[in-house]
Amino acid sequence: MSLVQEARRRRVLEAAIDLLAEVGWERTTMAAIARRAKISKGLISYHFSGKDEVLTQVVETIVSEVFLRGSERMQPRIAAETTARGMLRAYIESNLEFVAEHWREMRALSEILPNLRDEEGRLRYDVTAEEPIIAATAAMLEHGQRTGEFRDFDAHAVAFSLRRAIDAAAHRLAADPTFDIAHYASEIADLYDQGCRA
Amino acid sequence: MSLVQEARRRRVLEAAIDLLAEVGWERTTMAAIARRAKISKGLISYHFSGKDEVLTQVVETIVSEVFLRGSERMQPRIAAETTARGMLRAYIESNLEFVAEHWREMRALSEILPNLRDEEGRLRYDVTAEEPIIAATAAMLEHGQRTGEFRDFDAHAVAFSLRRAIDAAAHRLAADPTFDIAHYASEIADLYDQGCRA
DNA sequence: CGTTAATTTGGCCGCACGGCCAAGAAACTG
DNA sequence: CAGTTTCTTGGCCGTGCGGCCAAATTAACG
């Protein structure tokens, strides 16, 4: 893959992410992506097999590059904690710090995931796509239950609601740039900290 | 308005709600609505000025009829409680009972609200549309803070996350009919009950 | 410099959409 | 039953989409 090819593909993917985050799925057309990337429409077809590949590449790029950095940011913060309570708070606050920096990518993902379909009309990424993330959070909560720090609750249900609370911050931030996400993180951490305690 | 007109309009709106809930915004086309309603495409144009009016009427119908019944179900349950804690639990559980019965309408709303735009491309219903609902919940939480039952937290932030937890149940129920929403309601009520306590 | 390959453009194509209408069918009226 | 209004159909039209390609432009190379 030549430097030009790499640069063009990157440029197209960036334009697609921008548009998905700013104007949503429906208005993210090939023409709009080309306009935003300052290239002609046909050039996208030269570098990608079609719209499908562009959006698939957006997902893969975000998952493999952005989420990797998110993981690198969150893991040490969580691992540094000795208590399950501390881990939960570190998880919530570091995850929301990550959202604050990468809400564009998260918005783009949340536009693609429920909309991108294959030829037969089936969703390319179905609703179970986020299950591993929720399961990982639930495992952390269950650890706290085993140590006796957390009361007996349905860890999956609580992890699910926590995931929604975190994802919602990306939507909110996209719609209202003045949204104080650090304050929100602190409040959500307090809520779940006290709500999970034994 | 004749009986036939009333019946046709109702039939079209029902078909639109079904489609929005089942296949989403993008696949809810005039042709699909007509097919679902078992009428010709042109007949929709006879009874409605266009797609815009159909979707606007869907929103108005749901808000004025469905939410009215939801309110009638929730209010007595909440009013019957004497404590703020009891009110919060009654709010969460009765609201989720309502979601269990009317998730189709809630899914339809959550498809229309972020997608329906006017001629200039502006969202017909912007993100502040749900603000009154959140504000009402926040007011209930603040009442609990004044009585001393609840600790000192940002009532709006907590109400916002609670709203997301409740709305998410409609999405989840649409994607997975086996989802145990009564159990979820109980878990969320426990979580917020303990999380808000002084 | 000439030749070949890589890159880029602008425009055309087929398709599905929302909207519209001519015409007919059905219901109502006196 | 004739006349009138209401209701319904099927199809046509313009638009914007994603995809595609011939031609032009630029880069690479001996």
Side-chain angles (χ1 to χ4, degrees), chain A residues 15-29:
Chain A
I17 291 172
D18 283 349
L19 286 171
L20 286 164
E22 285 172 22
V23 302
W25 169 267
E26 204 164 8
R27 306 206 141 198
T28 301
T29 69

Side-chain angles (χ1 to χ4, degrees), chain B residues 2 7 15 26 43 53 92 97 101 103 113 136 145 161 164 175:
Chain B
S2 78
E26 202 163 10
L43 190 53
E53 198 204 337
I92 293 172
E97 281 176 24
E101 291 171 12
W103 60 269
L113 265 47
Q145 289 174 326
S161 72
R164 291 285 76 79

Side-chain angles (χ1 to χ4, degrees), chain A residues 191 194-195, chain B residues 74-75 77-97 133-134 136-145 147 149-151 153 155 158-163 165-166 185-198:
Chain A
L191 178 66
Q194 176 163 330
Chain B
M74 293 171 63
Q75 284 298 348
R77 294 271 291 274
I78 297 168
E81 300 291 331
T82 53
T83 65
R85 281 185 59 194
M87 287 171 66
L88 176 57
R89 179 171 291 273
Y91 176 87
I92 293 172
E93 294 188 341
S94 64
N95 200 331
L96 279 167
E97 281 176 24
I133 299 176
I134 293 177
T137 310
M140 184 178 65
L141 295 172
E142 282 162 355
H143 170 255
Q145 289 174 326
T147 67
E149 289 176 78
F150 292 159
R151 64 183 172 84
F153 53 80
V158 170
F160 174 74
S161 72
L162 176 55
R163 177 51 35 200
I166 292 173
S186 161
E187 289 291 326
I188 295 300
D190 288 349
L191 177 67
Y192 279 81
D193 177 30
Q194 176 163 327
C196 290
R197 271 214 303 258

Side-chain angles (χ1 to χ4, degrees), chain A residues 3 5 19-20 28-29 35 48 56 67 88 114 164 176:
Chain A
L3 280 176
Q5 276 184 15
L19 286 171
L20 286 164
T28 301
T29 69
R35 215 176 307 124
F48 295 87
T56 303
F67 281 6
L88 176 58
R164 291 286 76 80
D176 171 19

Side-chain angles (χ1 to χ4, degrees), chain B residues 44-69:
Chain B
I44 299 180
S45 296
Y46 177 75
H47 289 291
F48 295 87
S49 65
K51 190 180 189 180
D52 215 73
E53 198 204 337
V54 172
L55 296 172
T56 303
Q57 287 294 314
V58 166
V59 173
E60 285 186 19
T61 301
I62 292 176
V63 170
S64 69
E65 296 184 16
V66 181
F67 280 7
L68 181 67
R69 273 179 288 165

Side-chain angles (χ1 to χ4, degrees), chain A residues 29-31 41-42 45 50-51:
Chain A
T29 69
M30 294 291 265
K41 198 164 54 108
S45 297
K51 190 179 189 180

Side-chain angles (χ1 to χ4, degrees), chain A residues 19-87:
Chain A
L19 286 171
L20 286 164
E22 285 172 22
V23 302
W25 169 267
E26 204 164 8
R27 306 206 141 198
T28 301
T29 69
M30 294 291 265
I33 294 173
R35 215 176 307 124
R36 169 72 62 123
K38 300 272 182 59
I39 58 176
S40 73
K41 198 164 54 108
L43 191 52
I44 300 179
S45 297
Y46 177 75
H47 289 290
F48 295 87
S49 64
K51 190 179 189 180
D52 216 73
E53 199 203 338
V54 172
L55 297 172
T56 303
Q57 287 294 315
V58 166
V59 173
E60 285 186 21
T61 302
I62 292 175
V63 169
S64 69
E65 296 184 17
V66 181
F67 281 6
L68 180 67
R69 272 180 287 164
S71 201
E72 284 169 357
R73 163 187 283 269
M74 292 172 63
Q75 284 297 348
R77 294 270 293 273
I78 296 169
E81 299 291 331
T82 53
T83 64
R85 281 185 59 193
M87 288 171 65

Side-chain angles (χ1 to χ4, degrees), chain A residues 25 49-57 59-60 112-129:
Chain A
W25 169 267
S49 64
K51 190 179 189 180
D52 216 73
E53 199 203 338
V54 172
L55 297 172
T56 303
Q57 287 294 315
V59 173
E60 285 186 21
I112 297 176
L113 266 47
N115 281 306
L116 183 59
R117 295 168 187 271
D118 59 19
E119 308 76 23
E120 288 85 9
R122 294 181 302 246
L123 284 176
R124 178 92 59 189
Y125 307 95
D126 74 344
V127 285
T128 67

